[in-house]
C-alpha cells in the first residue's frame, strides 16, 4: 500500500476520510507495508498496487484450478488426481483406482462378477473400464467369470487337461471341432479351443482312441485322482451332487429344499427330486443346525425357497 505526500488541494476533512479508507484496506491484506513516495513517483505507486492485485487474482485462479484437478474418493476419503478416478459406466459412481482394484479383486476371488461398490447399485463392471487398474492376470480371471456366468450350466464344458481347464460351451467346442474335420456326429471327440488337445465330451477325459465310451468306463471304473479327491472332500463336508448337471452343492443355511443353478430341485438330505415345489420323500424340511433367524426381521415364508445360502462347486474342474 502506498501513500502520496505533497500538497493536497482538498480539505482536511476529506484527507481524514481518505486516511481512514486506507487503514480499512490495510486490514484486508495478509501483509501490508506502507511506503511514502514523492508526487513525481505516483505512477510507480500505482504500478506497485496493480501488480499486487494481479498477483492475488492469479494466485486464486491457480489454486482453484489445482483443486479442480483433484477429487476425493468417498471410500478411502483421500484426494486423488482426476486421472486416477474410475467412473462406472451406467451409474457414473466414481472411486479411486486403488479402492476399485481391491474391490474387484475380492469379488473375483469369491468367483463373483464385480459390480459397482456403491450401496444398492447393481451396475456390473465391464472389462474395458477396468483395464486401467487391474493386472493382466486379474483381467483374464474377470473374462473367465463373465463368460462362465453367460454360459448355462448344462452347456459348460471344461477342458480335462489339468494344465488348461479352459471353459467352453458345447456349441463353441462343437463348431471348433468340426473345422478340423473331426467326426463329431459319430464320435464324442472334441478339440479344446485353447490348448487344441482332444478329449471325450461324454466321459470328460482325454480322448480314448480306438475305444468306445462304454468300453472306457468298463476298463476304468475308478474315477481319476482329481475326482477321487473331490469326492472324499465332498463326503467329509457333506456336500451333495446335482443329478442333472453334476455340480457339487453345499448347504450353508436354510431348508433341505435345494434348487440347483441348472433348475433341478431335490432334497439335500436324501437327494430325492422335488416335483411341482413338493417333496417326493419323507425327510424333514428343516434341520435345526442349518436354521438361521434374524430377530430384527419378520419371517417370510417365501424366503424358505430362496437359495442364497447355497454354494456350488464344479466337479468338472481339475483345480
Amino acid at each position: 500500500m502506498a501513500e502520496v505526500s505533497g500538497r493536497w488541494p482538498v480539505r482536511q476533512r476529506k484527507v481524514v476520510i481518505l486516511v481512514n479508507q486506507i487503514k480499512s484496506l490495510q486490514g484486508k491484506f495478509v501483509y501490508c507495508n506502507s511506503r511514502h513516495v514523492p508526487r513525481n513517483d505516483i505512477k510507480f505507486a500505482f504500478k506497485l498496487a496493480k501488480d499486487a492485485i494481479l498477483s492475488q487474482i492469479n494466485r486464486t485462479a491457480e489454486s482453484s484450478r489445482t483443486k479442480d484437478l483433484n477429487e476425493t474418493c468417498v471410500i478411502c476419503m483421500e484426494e486423488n488426481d482426476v486421472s486416477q478416478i474410475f467412473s462406472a459406466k451406467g451409474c457414473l459412481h466414481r472411486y479411486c483406482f486403488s479402492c476399485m482394484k481391491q474391490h474387484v479383486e475380492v469379488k473375483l476371488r469369491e468367483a463373483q462378477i464385480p459390480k459397482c461398490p456403491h450401496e444398492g447399485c447393481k451396475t456390473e463392471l465391464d472389462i474395458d473400464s477396468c483395464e486401467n487398474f487391474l493386472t493382466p492376470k486379474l483381467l483374464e480371471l474377470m473374462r473367465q467369470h463373465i463368460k462362465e456366468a453367460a454360459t448355462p450350466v448344462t452347456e459348460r464344458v471344461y477342458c480335462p487337461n489339468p494344465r488348461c481347464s479352459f471353459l467352453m460351451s458345447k456349441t463353441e467346442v462343437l463348431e471348433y471341432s468340426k473345422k478340423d474335420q473331426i467326426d463329431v456326429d459319430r464320435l464324442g471327440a472334441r478339440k479344446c479351443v485353447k490348448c487344441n488337445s482332444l478329449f471325450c465330451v461324454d466321459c470328460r477325459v482325454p480322448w480314448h482312441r480306438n475305444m468306445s465310451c462304454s468300453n472306457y468306463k468298463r476298463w476304468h471304473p475308478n474315477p481319476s485322482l482329481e475326482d477321487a479327491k473331490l469326492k472324499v472332500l465332498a463326503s467329509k463336508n457333506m456336500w451333495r451332487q446335482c443329478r442333472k448337471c453334476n455340480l457339487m452343492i453345499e448347504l450353508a443355511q436354510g431348508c433341505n429344499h435345494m434348487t440347483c443353478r441348472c433348475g433341478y430341485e431335490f432334497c439335500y438330505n436324501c437327494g430325492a427330486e422335488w416335483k411341482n415345489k413338493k417333496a417326493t420323500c419323507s425327510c424333514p424340511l428343516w434341520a435345526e443346525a442349518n436354521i438361521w433367524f434374524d430377530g430384527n426381521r419378520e419371517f417370510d415364508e417365501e424366503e424358505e425357497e430362496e437359495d442364497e445360502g447355497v454354494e456350488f462347486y464344479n466337479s468338472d474342474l481339475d483345480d
Side-chain angles (χ1 to χ4, degrees):
M1 179 64 64
E3 288 187 40
V4 182
S5 60
R7 292 184 178 180
W8 285 87
V10 293
R11 296 179 181 179
Q12 186 67 23
R13 185 172 58 83
K14 292 185 177 181
V15 173
V16 173
I17 294 175
L18 179 63
V19 172
N20 291 335
Q21 290 177 346
I22 292 174
K23 290 183 178 179
S24 176
L25 289 173
Q26 286 180 331
K28 296 181 180 180
F29 287 93
V30 176
Y31 173 77
C32 183
N33 184 23
S34 300
R35 294 181 59 184
H36 294 80
V37 294
R39 183 184 294 237
N40 56 356
D41 287 343
I42 188 66
K43 293 182 179 180
F44 176 70
F46 284 137
K47 183 177 182 304
L48 287 178
K50 184 178 180 180
D51 291 343
I53 294 173
L54 289 176
S55 66
Q56 292 292 326
I57 295 175
N58 294 335
R59 185 182 303 174
T60 303
E62 183 179 353
S63 176
S64 178
R65 286 195 299 268
T66 304
K67 185 177 181 180
D68 292 340
L69 293 175
N70 293 331
E71 188 172 338
T72 302
C73 173
V74 296
I75 295 179
C76 62
M77 300 307 295
E78 292 185 2
E79 281 197 358
N80 295 268
D81 191 273
V82 291
S83 62
Q84 299 298 309
I85 294 293
F86 168 83
S87 179
K89 295 180 180 179
C91 62
L92 301 180
H93 292 132
R94 298 169 64 85
Y95 306 95
C96 71
F97 283 177
S98 178
C99 291
M100 286 302 304
K101 181 178 183 298
Q102 295 180 44
H103 168 72
V104 173
E105 186 172 1
V106 169
K107 295 301 179 182
L108 292 177
R109 300 302 181 192
E110 295 175 351
Q112 299 180 21
I113 297 180
K115 298 181 180 180
C116 173
H118 186 82
E119 184 178 1
C121 185
K122 297 182 179 180
T123 301
E124 292 186 354
L125 306 181
D126 56 32
I127 295 176
D128 294 337
S129 61
C130 297
E131 287 181 343
N132 292 328
F133 58 84
L134 288 184
T135 62
K137 186 176 181 180
L138 289 175
L139 285 172
E140 182 60 31
L141 184 61
M142 187 173 178
R143 290 189 184 95
Q144 182 179 351
H145 285 324
I146 292 176
K147 183 178 180 180
E148 189 174 31
T151 306
V153 176
T154 54
E155 282 289 310
R156 295 176 190 173
V157 177
Y158 293 89
C159 176
N161 181 359
R163 296 186 178 182
C164 180
S165 299
F166 186 71
L167 169 65
M168 302 162 282
S169 67
K170 289 182 178 180
T171 303
E172 178 185 14
V173 71
L174 178 64
E175 295 300 324
Y176 186 79
S177 302
K178 285 182 178 180
K179 292 180 181 179
D180 284 0
Q181 298 181 348
I182 298 175
D183 191 359
V184 294
D185 296 327
R186 186 175 62 87
L187 303 173
R190 299 291 187 271
K191 193 172 186 179
C192 176
V193 300
K194 185 177 182 180
C195 68
N196 290 322
S197 60
L198 289 175
F199 66 93
C200 178
V201 71
D202 298 319
C203 302
R204 305 294 177 93
V205 296
W207 178 239
H208 40 75
R209 192 179 302 275
N210 299 325
M211 185 182 298
S212 64
C213 292
S214 58
N215 288 334
Y216 176 84
K217 292 176 181 178
R218 185 167 57 251
W219 286 100
H220 301 83
N222 298 321
S224 64
L225 179 61
E226 289 79 12
D227 288 341
K229 289 181 179 179
L230 178 60
K231 289 187 175 181
V232 170
L233 185 63
S235 177
K236 180 180 179 181
N237 291 280
M238 299 182 65
W239 298 343
R240 298 292 183 264
Q241 192 170 24
C242 174
R243 294 180 180 179
K244 184 177 181 180
C245 66
N246 295 325
L247 276 179
M248 205 65 77
I249 300 175
E250 178 188 17
L251 174 62
Q253 62 189 30
C255 66
N256 289 324
H257 175 206
M258 295 290 101
T259 302
C260 182
R261 289 181 178 177
C262 67
Y264 183 75
E265 299 179 40
F266 63 96
C267 173
Y268 190 82
N269 189 48
C270 68
E273 184 181 4
W274 272 57
K275 295 181 179 180
N276 299 322
K277 300 295 182 180
K278 294 182 180 180
T280 58
C281 62
S282 58
C283 296
L285 181 61
W286 300 94
E288 290 188 9
N290 296 326
I291 296 178
W292 177 83
F293 178 70
D294 186 353
N296 297 323
R297 181 178 173 188
E298 293 183 2
F299 180 77
D300 187 352
E301 292 182 357
E302 294 181 358
E303 289 181 355
E304 69 181 30
E305 293 183 1
E306 292 184 359
D307 297 300
E308 295 179 355
V310 179
E311 297 180 10
F312 298 87
Y313 301 86
N314 196 327
S315 59
D316 295 328
L317 288 173
D318 291 303
D319 296 335

